[in-house]
Amino acid sequence: MTKRTLDAPDTGFSSLGLDPRLLDALTALGYEEPTPIQRTAIPPLRAGRDVLAVAATGTGKTAAFALPLLHNIDPTLPPRMRLAALVLVPTRELAMQVAEAIHRYGKPFGAAVLSIYGGAPMEQQIRSLKRGVDVVIATPGRALDHIRRKTLHLDHVKTVVLDEADEMLDMGFAEDLEAILSALPAERQTALFSATIPARITKIANSHLKNPEVVRIERAAIAPGETAKVRQVAYMVPRAHKMAALARILDVEAPESAIVFCRTRTEVDQLTETLAGRGYRAEALHGGLSQEQRDRVMKRFRAKGSDLLIATDVAARGLDVKHVTHVVNYDVPWESESYVHRIGRTGRAGREGVAITLAEPREHRLLRNIEATTKQKIEIGVVPTVADLRTRQLEQLRDQVAELLNAGELDRYRPMVEQLAEEYDVMDIAAAAIRLAARKVESEGEPDEIPNLITRGGDRDAHTPKPARQGRREFAGKVGGKVAKIYVGAGRKLKIRPGDIVGAIAGEAGLGLGEIGAVTIGDRHSIVEVPEDKADFIIAKLSASTIKGKKVRVRRDQA
Ligand code: AMP
């Protein structure tokens, strides 16, 4: 990692009233500036105000409520008095994620963070609670369970957060939430985060929030056509495989010149190293570099001395380059405007540019927001398989051969061909020569297959690409053990995509991606494969919630 230098730009976090130890922790995590929701929600939360925030997953909302509440903890208090913050979340998966994030941010304070959710053994949770914790992240049902057993002591709680409040209501937690909120000290701070604000949320806010500061990030108007000349593709990739997926996509796309945007400087450094290791002329550009270093990197990129510029938004600000063929969003940008601004850097001077976005399944709402703002569809791409890569490499070889043929200057080699032609067919000779050239690429080792969330219709194996079936894609997960098929009463007509189904199951029922099998989307229904022993649980969870804002029929598939 690059050392922070004196003339590095201000992190932007310093004006939010945060403890300096937190600022250091954020710098160490590679955060360069607050996201819009952080910029607007942190100051009122630090001031002790109640907050009602409209924010979806992927906007940085976790840090927006986590950083302020860490100021209220006191690990020196006796265990029974220690619990200072309670965060309520809809699913086990989110509970674990939020706990992990708060643990990371809270390290310099020595914060003890515990997630409690249904399905895990009670005893272990009780033991941890007895030892004393500063922050509890809980699903409502389990939190209430502990409150009733008097194993969760709320008397000294200063902050309560309802995270993804609309989801909690959709899952039928309204009564549990009411009970928990009533059991909390009246003198407390309440923060409600929700992706949408339906009437039921307003009702909770009216009865449980005191004069809340309402935080919502207004969408800037985007002039139509601003992104018209850009082909936009998104790939749904689990976090763990993002780097390999991007490398593969770049190998196949073979961009002449690309900017890759990352969220943190840590990511910029890692990605630059990986891509440079794969033979790209890649350079890092982030706020940890001195102005002089940054100028040098940009100058080289402008002069086409590097192919890939891996950058944070902050560092790339003001960068004007004419020849960029591809813009890559290594993460979905926080704001639609930032997306538009980023991809506006390609597709200039009448040429078509390409914008590639890597999204985790849970970030599908951010993609939707972008589509709504730009009024353009983002195509969902299929991460190229090893076979695709091989095909592409052969195409590149063909182009190189054609170039050589056009350039002439082959006289030196003609006698050899003539000599071989006395004995062999000329076509065979050419094929053998190409095979020899192809071997060079192929001998570079068999690359790993990247687990693909979305593959071409019916192609579970992904080794033998078949032509894409129009409008039909499948989530290609494989489920171990006995498999059940679940029927979901929504399909193409409701614009359902595999990501919606996978996202709903992962989000509502807390399943890992490895536990979700093939998804088939029909006109009016979808079928998804899940482990038999979780089928009923998933049906219950999905039935209680909504998919794309609609209640849909969910049952076992009888076909
Ligand atoms: P969330 O919306 O809370 O799920 O956050 C999405 C991702 O953004 C997480 O991986 C965070 O670690 C990351 N993140 C949050 N805030 C920032 C920031 N200010 N700069 C860079 N990354 C961030």
Side-chain angles (χ1 to χ4, degrees):
M1 244 184 67
T2 325
K3 272 213 152 43
R4 205 165 162 207
T5 47
L6 283 176
D7 52 355
D10 177 4
T11 67
F13 278 104
S14 46
S15 58
L16 302 181
L18 295 170
D19 187 294
R21 287 171 293 169
L22 275 183
L23 299 182
D24 288 343
L26 295 174
T27 305
L29 286 171
Y31 291 13
E32 295 208 324
E33 60 173 356
T35 71
I37 195 72
Q38 291 163 2
R39 207 176 306 129
T40 38
I42 291 176
L45 284 171
R46 280 294 291 129
R49 297 273 312 268
D50 281 4
V51 162
L52 170 64
V54 191
T57 299
T59 53
K61 67 182 167 64
T62 314
F65 62 73
L67 299 175
L69 67 79
L70 283 165
H71 294 79
N72 294 335
I73 68 165
D74 184 358
T76 62
L77 287 173
R80 269 190 78 109
M81 298 170 64
R82 231 174 118 175
L83 184 64
L86 175 66
V87 181
L88 296 166
V89 297
T91 63
R92 173 185 76 159
E93 200 192 34
L94 190 60
M96 293 192 289
Q97 266 168 28
V98 171
E100 218 255 326
I102 301 187
H103 173 75
R104 241 184 311 147
Y105 303 137
K107 262 197 197 135
F109 294 90
V113 181
L114 178 69
S115 57
I116 59 178
Y117 41 78
M122 230 23 204
E123 293 67 38
Q124 208 177 323
Q125 296 177 353
I126 294 176
R127 243 177 290 134
S128 304
L129 286 170
K130 270 208 178 119
R131 251 181 270 134
V133 292
D134 304 293
V135 186
V136 161
I137 300 90
T139 49
R142 188 49 74 99
L144 201 55
D145 225 357
H146 280 285
I147 294 170
R148 293 196 171 130
R149 287 170 187 237
K150 304 210 182 328
T151 44
L152 187 61
H153 302 288
L154 303 179
D155 322 343
H156 299 272
V157 168
K158 296 182 188 69
T159 308
V160 60
V161 180
L162 309 184
D163 188 17
E164 304 201 352
D166 50 353
E167 296 284 326
M168 288 198 280
L169 293 186
D170 280 347
M171 290 179 67
F173 283 132
E175 277 178 29
D176 290 358
L177 287 179
E178 284 292 334
I180 297 168
L181 288 168
S182 315
L184 282 159
E187 269 304 305
R188 57 143 208 269
Q189 178 181 42
T190 310
L192 189 156
F193 280 72
S194 194
T196 56
I197 306 289
R200 293 187 301 157
I201 294 283
T202 316
K203 202 169 139 236
I204 293 201
N206 285 342
S207 47
H208 295 283
L209 269 59
K210 286 187 281 300
N211 182 28
E213 171 99 11
V214 179
V215 172
R216 87 170 56 230
I217 311 302
E218 297 297 342
R219 274 195 207 149
I222 307 251
E226 237 174 274
T227 52
K229 277 210 212 74
V230 182
R231 177 163 73 86
Q232 301 173 56
V233 194
Y235 295 89
M236 309 297 285
V237 187
R239 175 126 228 117
H241 298 288
K242 272 180 129 171
M243 208 149 308
L246 178 60
R248 174 70 49 79
I249 293 164
L250 290 176
D251 285 348
V252 170
E253 285 274 341
E256 218 171 276
S257 170
I259 307 182
V260 182
F261 287 98
C262 297
R263 275 179 185 165
T264 65
R265 57 177 78 153
T266 326
E267 242 167 30
V268 167
D269 282 332
Q270 284 170 352
L271 201 54
T272 308
E273 206 172 294
T274 305
L275 294 172
R278 296 176 67 104
Y280 283 100
R281 295 185 304 167
E283 290 209 67
L285 183 69
H286 59 59
L289 305 174
S290 68
Q291 186 60 48
E292 203 184 311
Q293 286 171 313
R294 274 182 279 157
D295 288 346
R296 231 179 298 137
V297 170
M298 289 201 246
K299 201 166 152 204
R300 261 198 302 270
F301 185 64
R302 270 200 206 96
K304 303 196 182 182
S306 49
D307 319 312
L308 301 180
L309 190 65
I310 326 288
T312 55
D313 274 316
V314 185
R317 216 158 268 165
L319 172 71
D320 190 36
V321 188
K322 299 272 180 307
H323 62 273
V324 174
T325 57
H326 291 63
V327 166
V328 178
N329 298 302
Y330 191 60
D331 296 285
V332 190
W334 325 111
E335 298 170 288
S336 307
E337 297 83 69
S338 151
Y339 176 87
V340 173
H341 187 217
R342 283 178 182 187
I343 77 168
R345 289 195 164 93
T346 184
R348 300 235 176 125
R351 284 184 298 177
E352 194 199 49
V354 182
I356 292 169
T357 303
L358 300 194
E360 291 174 54
R362 65 194 188 98
E363 291 171 333
H364 67 112
R365 198 188 284 270
L366 286 183
L367 281 182
R368 286 290 157 73
N369 285 349
I370 292 171
E371 286 184 331
T373 316
T374 58
K375 300 199 175 55
Q376 282 181 356
K377 276 222 100 41
I378 299 175
E379 176 196 334
I380 300 290
V382 179
V383 180
T385 61
V386 174
D388 292 341
L389 178 65
R390 294 292 183 230
T391 309
R392 176 70 186 159
Q393 284 166 338
L394 279 183
E395 280 168 13
Q396 285 165 348
L397 191 58
R398 184 194 55 205
D399 293 350
Q400 285 165 357
V401 171
E403 242 172 73
L404 280 181
L405 287 168
N406 287 332
E409 297 177 25
L410 298 167
D411 292 350
R412 232 186 106 195
Y413 307 94
R414 291 188 68 95
M416 194 197 288
V417 179
E418 274 158 18
Q419 193 192 347
L420 285 163
E422 284 169 18
E423 213 175 323
Y424 302 99
D425 173 50
V426 178
M427 281 290 277
D428 280 347
I429 298 169
I434 287 188
R435 180 168 172 193
L436 198 61
R439 204 186 276 169
K440 194 181 157 295
V441 188
E442 276 158 11
S443 68
E444 279 166 15
E446 183 68 13
D448 289 336
E449 208 57 88
I450 298 162
N452 217 335
L453 291 192
I454 312 285
T455 67
R456 296 167 180 88
D459 176 20
R460 295 290 305 279
D461 193 344
H463 271 287
T464 46
K466 297 172 192 157
R469 252 186 260 162
Q470 207 50 36
R472 177 187 166 121
R473 292 209 180 81
E474 291 201 353
F475 178 82
K478 285 197 178 82
V479 187
K482 199 154 184 272
V483 173
K485 285 189 176 170
I486 294 184
Y487 168 101
V488 180
R492 251 192 305 271
K493 287 251 150 60
L494 281 177
K495 298 206 168 62
I496 293 289
R497 298 187 207 165
D500 298 315
I501 307 270
V502 172
I505 297 182
E508 307 302 337
L511 262 72
L513 290 174
E515 295 178 287
I516 305 175
V519 179
T520 314
I521 308 281
D523 272 351
R524 292 170 198 285
H525 76 282
S526 310
I527 305 286
V528 54
E529 292 179 0
V530 298
E532 168 62 41
D533 56 349
K534 295 202 172 146
D536 292 330
F537 175 70
I538 294 167
I539 291 171
K541 288 289 183 201
L542 288 187
S543 303
S545 75
T546 56
I547 293 180
K548 293 196 68 182
K550 288 201 176 60
K551 281 260 173 235
V552 298
R553 206 172 134 62
V554 185
R555 57 167 165 79
R556 276 178 186 270
D557 181 36
Q558 277 130 19

